[in-house]
Amino acid sequence: MAQAFCGSFTALYVQTPGDAAMNTEDTSRLQANMHLAKQLGAEIVTTHGEDVPTQIAEYARLSGVTKIVIGQSGIQCRHFFSKPILTERLIALITAADIHIIPDAEDYRNSRRKPSIPIYPAFPATRDLLLTAGILTAATIVGWFFLQLGFANANIIMVYLLGVLLTSAFTSGYTCGVLSAFLSVILFNYFLTEPRLSLAAYGSKYPITFVVMFTAALLTSTLAAKLKAHAQLSARDAYRAKLLFDMNRQLQKAETPEEVYQMTATQIQKLMQRDVLICPAQGDTLLDGIVYPVDGSSPHSISEDEQELDVIHWVWQNRRRAGATTETFPKAKRLYFAICTWQQVYGVIGILMEKQTQPDAFTSSILFSILGECALTLESLRNADEKEKAAVLAKNEQLRANLLRSISHDLRTPLTSISGNADTLLHCYDVLDDQTRKQIFSDIYDDAQWLIGLVENLLSITKIANGNVKLHLSDQVVDDIISEALRHIDRRSAEHHITMNCGEIPLLVRVDAGLIMQVLINLVNNAIKYTPAGSTIQITAIQRGNVAEICVSDNGTGIPNELKERVFEMFFTGSNPTSDSRRSLGLGLSLCQVIVHAHHGKMTLKDNLPHGCIFSFTVALSEVNLNE
């Protein structure tokens, strides 16, 4: 139904104070229902209170529940004084949700109606009996002194009520409280009413006094016991909330499945004080189990004989619990659960069971919550890993598409020019004058050089990025590197004013001279390409601490702010109308940044006021002094 309506699925368990006296059969049935709900993907929610219909109705109202499915026993114990059954009260309390009632086909032959006041006549412990006797003795002594001082009977009765309240508060269960209420009436009648030391009473009003006293004492003990039971339930809920909150907070910091498994084992150890075995799953394979000892020692693997492989594989394949305390592989040493979501099984967890007794409902509820949190965290890690892989694949696909697009367009243009010019020379060489031939040869040369430079850049950036290029570091003078680089720049540099200023003191740096020359050549060629003829390009080098900063600045149109973060991306070419965009794959600046990073330097871009831009990078200074 939840799947059909695309809604969430919640299994609600209302825990009452009387659940502590639940028999083994009912406990097993509750455990089976909880496991079935978890197996079907439900969120198990536990609330506590005595009025079950009211708790269900309040949860439905606060959670916005629209449909409720509940079972109804076929047993009919109706008479004149009968109260409305659970489903009848639920229908009366809930009007904003659909209630689906499913008849229970199971025959409860030994069923009996529970008392409206949950009094369970369990024999109390010796300590509780002695404590009850002591409190009643003290109350009788205090009542005797009050009687000697002339206090009214009402004051003496209040002393006994206080004793009943103390008895209910400091003993377990309801038995001692009820016994204290009954004995308080007997002691008051025997010791403190006329005739004393006798159960007879002279006053005609004493029987009414005794009845009222017993009723008040009984209600006092019952309310005190209920309050103590609710306090215990509240403490359990607080412990459960703290345990799950701590686990959720720790799981948020987990970065690997191994950390998730270890945190899960730690929380289960806190809950059950048992060794925990976890067999993680990797794809369609179940890995070897790892034991997390409760004494805090290091996790270790165990032999195949100790792992109970038959049980583990059965749980992994069927997503159902098995092992100790269950009907499936009951002779196993551990109780096994599957760590799974609706779609994926992430492993099997085994808890060592010293006795063949099932965990109580409270422990099972927390255990299922812990396993659910573990499975959700593992699923989140898997989704994050898949998302990261998908992002890498998408980026690689984008780079491949950009490369193919650029090659199909930008490389075809110079190749077409070379082919056309060569064809012209081949068929019309004799009719062309010397000046035209020289120009055609120059065009072919320029296009070929551009292709060679492109291929070198592409190969260089690939090798350096993959770590396949080893830097050949040597001590070099910055002036010499810049001068040599200017000899290899674009021949169109004659149309620009290029200046160099390295200061009066020569700077000695430790670099791979060939790669740094390639950086300068790319930066200067970019400045030539993206600035109009007649622009000024300046190369400067200054010392900043223990590094040398080399800058290439121009006074062109500059780069818009929204494009500055992308200029170092591979295959990004921008849209400057001044440049010949067909002659760019967007590799030059990306190669420059890779080379500078390989030298442990930093490359930056900033504006050259009032207009233009400055590309600067740093390299380490040499430890050798030129004055030596």
Side-chain angles (χ1 to χ4, degrees):
M1 185 183 295
Q3 291 178 357
F5 289 99
C6 300
S8 59
F9 182 26
T10 302
L12 179 64
Y13 167 48
V14 181
Q15 187 177 22
T16 64
D19 287 356
M22 191 181 301
N23 57 36
T24 305
E25 182 181 356
D26 291 338
T27 301
S28 301
R29 187 181 299 110
L30 177 61
Q31 295 289 340
N33 290 337
M34 282 189 170
H35 180 72
L36 176 61
K38 180 179 180 296
Q39 184 180 351
L40 295 177
E43 177 189 2
I44 300 178
V45 177
T46 303
T47 63
H48 66 270
E50 293 185 6
D51 194 341
V52 176
T54 301
Q55 292 293 325
I56 297 175
E58 186 67 13
Y59 178 82
R61 182 184 65 83
L62 295 176
S63 302
V65 174
T66 58
K67 297 185 182 298
I68 298 176
V69 179
I70 191 170
Q72 176 177 313
S73 172
I75 300 173
Q76 298 294 330
C77 299
R78 307 303 298 270
H79 49 80
F80 180 77
F81 297 101
S82 295
K83 294 183 179 180
I85 60 177
L86 187 147
T87 52
E88 292 175 347
R89 292 192 57 198
L90 199 61
I91 293 173
L93 291 172
I94 300 177
T95 58
D98 298 334
I99 301 177
H100 301 264
I101 301 174
I102 300 177
D104 194 344
E106 186 172 353
D107 184 16
Y108 299 95
R109 299 183 183 276
N110 298 324
S111 66
R112 58 185 178 84
R113 188 174 182 272
K114 292 183 179 181
S116 58
I117 300 177
I119 300 175
Y120 305 97
F123 191 79
T126 303
R127 172 189 172 280
D128 293 340
L129 290 176
L130 293 176
L131 184 61
T132 302
I135 293 176
L136 291 178
T137 301
T140 302
I141 294 175
V142 173
W144 178 268
F145 279 110
F146 280 7
L147 184 64
Q148 298 301 318
L149 295 175
F151 285 16
N153 288 338
N155 300 108
I156 301 175
I157 291 174
M158 293 301 296
V159 173
Y160 279 107
L161 291 179
L162 177 62
V164 172
L165 185 61
L166 292 175
T167 302
S168 300
F170 292 105
T171 59
S172 58
Y174 291 84
T175 306
C176 288
V178 175
L179 180 64
S180 177
F182 176 75
L183 292 179
S184 295
V185 177
I186 300 299
L187 294 174
F188 176 69
N189 182 23
Y190 188 80
F191 289 103
L192 303 178
T193 60
E194 296 289 345
R196 295 183 177 86
L197 304 180
S198 172
L199 294 179
Y202 290 155
S204 60
K205 297 180 180 179
Y206 273 126
I208 298 176
T209 302
F210 296 154
V211 170
V212 172
M213 179 180 175
F214 176 74
T215 304
L218 182 63
L219 291 176
T220 301
S221 64
T222 303
L223 292 176
K226 287 183 178 181
L227 182 62
K228 185 170 63 175
H230 283 295
Q232 293 175 350
L233 292 176
S234 298
R236 279 188 166 192
D237 286 346
Y239 172 75
R240 179 179 184 272
K242 181 179 183 303
L243 191 68
L244 296 179
F245 174 76
D246 291 342
M247 181 175 182
N248 183 268
R249 183 178 57 183
Q250 293 177 11
L251 289 178
Q252 289 179 354
K253 302 177 182 178
E255 297 180 354
T256 62
E258 289 73 18
E259 294 181 358
V260 175
Y261 291 130
Q262 185 172 7
M263 293 176 182
T264 302
T266 301
Q267 296 302 322
I268 294 177
Q269 289 170 352
K270 291 181 180 179
L271 177 66
M272 303 185 67
Q273 300 298 318
R274 306 285 176 86
D275 291 349
V276 178
L277 170 68
I278 296 182
C279 300
Q282 187 174 11
D284 296 332
T285 306
L286 197 62
L287 304 180
D288 294 335
I290 301 176
V291 174
Y292 296 86
V294 71
D295 57 7
S297 57
S298 301
H300 61 274
S301 57
I302 58 177
S303 63
E304 294 184 358
D305 296 337
E306 296 178 314
Q307 284 194 26
E308 301 174 332
L309 295 179
D310 293 340
V311 192
I312 294 174
H313 281 89
W314 189 91
V315 173
W316 181 46
Q317 294 173 359
N318 295 273
R319 301 188 180 189
R320 296 173 55 190
R321 64 174 182 170
T325 74
T326 67
E327 296 180 358
T328 308
F329 301 98
K331 296 183 179 180
K333 298 179 181 178
R334 299 180 180 86
L335 176 60
Y336 293 93
F337 298 89
I339 305 174
C340 61
T341 58
W342 182 254
Q343 298 178 344
Q344 183 71 26
V345 180
Y346 294 97
V348 175
I349 188 168
I351 304 172
L352 187 64
M353 305 300 291
E354 298 177 354
K355 299 180 180 180
Q356 294 295 321
T357 55
Q358 293 188 359
D360 57 24
F362 172 75
T363 303
S364 297
S365 175
I366 299 180
L367 182 59
F368 289 143
S369 299
I370 291 175
L371 296 178
E373 288 284 342
C374 175
L376 290 177
T377 304
L378 292 172
E379 186 173 22
S380 298
L381 290 178
R382 189 189 70 167
N383 292 338
D385 186 57
E386 292 180 351
K387 185 177 180 180
E388 183 178 356
K389 291 180 180 178
V392 172
L393 290 176
K395 184 176 181 180
N396 292 339
E397 182 64 23
Q398 182 65 34
L399 292 175
R400 187 183 69 86
N402 291 338
L403 179 59
L404 292 177
R405 174 181 54 80
S406 300
I407 289 177
S408 63
H409 174 61
D410 296 333
L411 293 185
R412 184 174 56 188
T413 302
L415 289 174
T416 302
S417 175
I418 293 173
S419 178
N421 288 330
D423 183 71
T424 300
L425 292 173
L426 184 63
H427 295 88
C428 304
Y429 185 83
D430 295 334
V431 299
L432 298 175
D433 55 35
D434 292 339
Q435 184 65 29
T436 303
R437 295 172 188 166
K438 186 176 181 180
Q439 182 62 42
I440 293 176
F441 283 131
S442 298
D443 292 340
I444 293 175
Y445 177 80
D446 289 340
D447 288 330
Q449 286 298 114
W450 183 83
L451 289 174
I452 292 173
L454 171 65
V455 173
E456 288 180 352
N457 281 346
L458 189 59
L459 292 176
S460 297
I461 194 172
T462 303
K463 291 180 179 179
I464 296 176
N466 293 337
N468 296 330
V469 173
K470 184 177 180 180
L471 300 182
H472 300 284
L473 301 178
S474 60
D475 297 326
Q476 301 288 336
V477 179
V478 175
D479 304 58
D480 297 340
I481 296 176
I482 297 176
S483 300
E484 185 64 23
L486 291 178
R487 296 175 52 189
H488 297 83
I489 61 176
D490 196 313
R491 291 190 301 121
R492 289 181 299 172
S493 61
E495 302 174 358
H496 295 69
H497 302 289
I498 301 178
T499 61
M500 182 180 70
N501 181 14
C502 297
E504 298 179 356
I505 302 176
L507 294 177
L508 190 65
V509 293
R510 187 165 185 79
V511 295
D512 187 317
L515 294 178
I516 296 300
M517 283 176 53
Q518 196 166 1
V519 172
L520 290 170
I521 291 171
N522 286 339
L523 292 178
V524 175
N525 283 341
N526 270 358
I528 294 172
K529 184 190 308 180
Y530 287 94
T531 57
S535 299
T536 300
I537 301 173
Q538 186 176 20
I539 305 173
T540 59
I542 59 175
Q543 180 178 349
R544 292 190 181 277
N546 59 347
V547 297
E549 183 181 29
I550 303 174
C551 304
V552 178
S553 60
D554 62 71
N555 60 350
T557 57
I559 300 176
N561 292 329
E562 61 270 14
L563 299 181
K564 289 181 180 178
E565 295 182 356
R566 301 190 57 194
V567 295
F568 295 108
E569 294 181 8
M570 193 180 297
F571 304 121
F572 179 74
T573 58
S575 57
N576 192 325
T578 305
S579 68
D580 184 6
S581 60
R582 70 174 179 84
R583 291 174 172 266
S584 176
L585 283 180
L587 296 175
L589 291 178
S590 180
L591 174 62
C592 293
Q593 188 178 53
V594 170
I595 293 175
V596 171
H597 285 174
H599 284 79
H600 304 290
K602 182 179 180 181
M603 191 166 190
T604 58
L605 165 63
K606 57 185 178 181
D607 293 329
N608 185 22
L609 301 178
H611 52 81
C613 58
I614 302 174
F615 285 91
S616 61
F617 64 93
T618 59
V619 290
L621 290 172
S622 173
E623 297 180 358
V624 178
N625 193 335
L626 287 177
N627 294 330
E628 296 178 357

